[in-house]
């Protein structure tokens, strides 16, 4: 298994897609219920294969990731060969980027000296998708990239 098995909730939300996946292997609902009952290891393997397919599809379409903590934000732009990173830190201890007012404070005060912005790029050490998956497992979320692009424009103005 390349990634991790989808959660029960994720499987439930992808019920139709999973049924289609089983159908491509000529497994109907009756046979699937029999496999789950009599061969749980085979059922688990089918679920793992489907999970990897879903994760691979999601990761292929992922262009941006974000990771927020109270005093720091990590923004990632995920290209084919290179990942770009912008780190935003604040020295103001009562600002919390996890809260709406802290986030709004950042957008209003991004040029102030209490904000440190660092940027860098690196080639993927392994394959692209497993590295993105690792970032997601560590708390990053997939985004549309508005914040990354906002800070990219802000950095270029300075």
């Amino acid at each position: 298994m390349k990634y991790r098995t989808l959660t029960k909730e994720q499987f439930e939300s992808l019920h139709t897609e999973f049924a289609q996946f089983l159908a491509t292997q000529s497994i109907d609902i009756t046979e699937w219920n029999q496999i789950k009952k009599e061969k749980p290891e085979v059922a688990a393997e089918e679920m793992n294969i489907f999970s990897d397919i879903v994760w691979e599809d999601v990761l292929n379409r992922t262009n941006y990731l974000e990771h927020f903590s109270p005093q720091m934000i990590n923004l990632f732009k995920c290209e084919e060969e290179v990942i770009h990173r912008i780190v935003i830190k604040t020295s103001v201890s009562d600002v919390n980027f996890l809260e709406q007012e802290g986030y709004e404070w950042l957008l209003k005060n991004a040029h102030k000296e209490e904000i440190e912005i660092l940027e860098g790029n690196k080639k993927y050490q392994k394959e692209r998708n497993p590295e993105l998956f690792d970032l997601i497992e560590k708390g990053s979320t997939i985004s549309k990239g508005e914040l990354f692009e906002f800070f990219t424009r802000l950095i270029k103005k300075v």
Side-chain angles (χ1 to χ4, degrees):
M1 172 151 219
K2 193 170 183 179
Y3 303 107
R4 71 163 162 75
T5 305
L6 298 171
T7 65
K8 182 180 179 188
E9 294 78 16
Q10 290 168 326
F11 267 108
E12 288 171 359
S13 71
L14 295 168
H15 172 77
T16 303
E17 291 84 353
F18 186 59
Q20 290 170 346
F21 167 76
L22 291 174
T24 64
Q25 299 185 51
S26 302
I27 300 173
D28 64 19
I29 187 69
T30 305
E31 189 176 354
W32 176 244
N33 287 333
Q34 186 178 354
I35 290 170
K36 287 193 304 185
K37 189 185 293 184
E38 296 173 7
K39 300 177 185 173
E41 68 286 347
V42 173
E45 184 59 29
E46 291 297 331
M47 294 170 76
N48 289 344
I49 292 168
F50 178 74
S51 295
D52 276 349
I53 291 169
V54 170
W55 276 115
E56 198 68 31
D57 182 54
V58 167
L59 295 166
N60 282 339
R61 292 183 283 120
T62 298
N63 296 314
Y64 296 92
L65 295 171
E66 299 176 346
H67 188 273
F68 284 75
S69 61
Q71 307 272 275
M72 184 168 43
I73 301 172
N74 283 279
L75 306 171
F76 303 95
K77 182 175 183 180
C78 314
E79 295 182 346
E80 277 305 308
E81 303 292 326
V82 177
I83 189 163
H84 305 278
R85 181 179 181 190
I86 297 174
V87 179
I88 302 132
K89 299 179 185 181
T90 182
S91 59
V92 180
S93 60
D94 60 339
V95 170
N96 184 345
F97 294 146
L98 296 173
E99 297 173 354
Q100 185 65 31
E101 66 183 39
Y103 182 77
E104 290 171 3
W105 178 89
L106 170 64
L107 296 178
K108 291 176 189 168
N109 296 286
H111 283 302
K112 294 198 174 177
E113 65 182 46
E114 294 90 355
I115 299 294
E116 180 181 8
I117 302 173
L118 307 167
E119 62 178 327
N121 307 307
K122 76 167 190 139
K123 288 188 174 200
Y124 299 106
Q125 293 177 320
K126 306 181 273 184
E127 294 176 51
R128 175 189 184 271
N129 288 354
E131 287 196 38
L132 300 186
F133 181 77
D134 186 51
L135 289 169
I136 291 169
E137 289 292 281
K138 291 177 179 172
S140 293
T141 56
I142 297 169
S143 76
K144 293 180 182 176
E146 292 102 339
L147 198 56
F148 184 96
E149 296 302 333
F150 171 81
F151 277 96
T152 297
R153 288 188 299 276
L154 188 71
I155 291 166
K156 287 181 180 176
K157 287 181 183 179
V158 175

